[in-house]
Amino acid sequence: IVVGSLSDAYVDRLLAFIGNQVEKSAHLEFYLTWSQAILYRHGGRIKQRSSSKLDVLCNLEKSLTKKFEDLSKM
């Protein structure tokens, strides 16, 4: 319900925030759940304006990849 009511500006800000928090937080599942809900709900609109929001998506991908690599070493 919360994700569905977000405007595009807040979706971008929330994705940027999640990208930063994934790197330094131990609550990985919490942020993965939020990012999954955002991408399922707003993915079409994000894709339409992907050229302007490419840096936010790349940052999120970089953070998730780094966390995956760190966890796969365990």
Side-chain angles (χ1 to χ4, degrees), residues 30-53:
F30 176 75
Y31 291 114
L32 286 175
T33 303
W34 271 99
S35 60
Q36 181 183 24
I38 291 168
L39 293 174
Y40 279 153
R41 180 72 176 172
H42 297 280
R45 285 188 280 170
I46 292 171
K47 187 176 180 180
Q48 289 174 348
R49 51 193 178 87
S50 63
S51 60
S52 64
K53 299 305 169 194

Side-chain angles (χ1 to χ4, degrees), residues 2-45:
V2 173
V3 171
S5 64
L6 291 175
S7 68
D8 290 343
Y10 289 113
V11 167
D12 299 337
R13 289 180 185 177
L14 188 55
L15 282 176
F17 174 77
I18 290 171
N20 291 330
Q21 291 299 310
V22 165
E23 291 182 25
K24 51 188 167 182
S25 177
H27 305 289
L28 181 61
E29 185 178 3
F30 176 75
Y31 291 114
L32 286 175
T33 303
W34 271 99
S35 60
Q36 181 183 24
I38 291 168
L39 293 174
Y40 279 153
R41 180 72 176 172
H42 297 280
R45 285 188 280 170

